[in-house]
Amino acid sequence: MQPRVDLISLGVRSVDASRRFYVEGLGWAVHREVPGEVLFIQANHGLLLSLWDAGQMQSEAATDPPAGIPCITLSHNLGSAAGVDQVMADAARAGAAIVTEAKTQPWGGYTGYFADPDGYRWEVAFNPTWKVDGDGRVTL
């Protein structure tokens, strides 16, 4: 197995609410959609984000409904602290709950966290030791 991730699927309570947040609120483009069931967004460099009806996902993947907020973060990395502040403001305007205001971290980076309509945490980060190209490609 090659070390790569091609698709991240999030089980969501309402595909319509997720569509309003990600597509209408954040302005992300839909790649493919089955209304009310699943929504695919081309996230970055071949990576797809799937927002999938949680009941259908749990049935197919043989999982139980989560007891709380899933312990996973998705990270959006930027080339500057100012970029972090801008994305955090964009997310708040789209309806995100700001979980942690952006701040300088003890390790030297600058991060903030927001939650989407299902509580999934997004880290918005600037790491001064990483390079982020103009097209968003992150190099460690």
Side-chain angles (χ1 to χ4, degrees), residues 18-95:
S18 291
R19 186 183 211 294
R20 283 191 297 277
F21 177 73
Y22 286 98
V23 177
E24 296 166 24
L26 293 179
W28 293 12
V30 174
H31 181 69
R32 187 163 290 153
E33 179 175 13
V34 178
E37 292 182 27
V38 66
L39 173 70
F40 295 97
I41 295 169
Q42 186 74 53
N44 197 6
H45 311 293
L47 178 67
L48 287 166
L49 176 66
S50 166
L51 304 166
W52 193 3
D53 175 79
Q56 291 178 349
M57 183 177 184
Q58 290 157 4
S59 176
E60 185 173 315
T63 64
D64 295 325
I69 296 170
C71 188
I72 183 174
T73 59
L74 303 166
S75 187
H76 183 85
N77 290 268
L78 297 151
S80 70
V84 171
D85 290 336
Q86 181 62 54
V87 169
M88 291 293 290
D90 292 346
R93 276 192 297 280

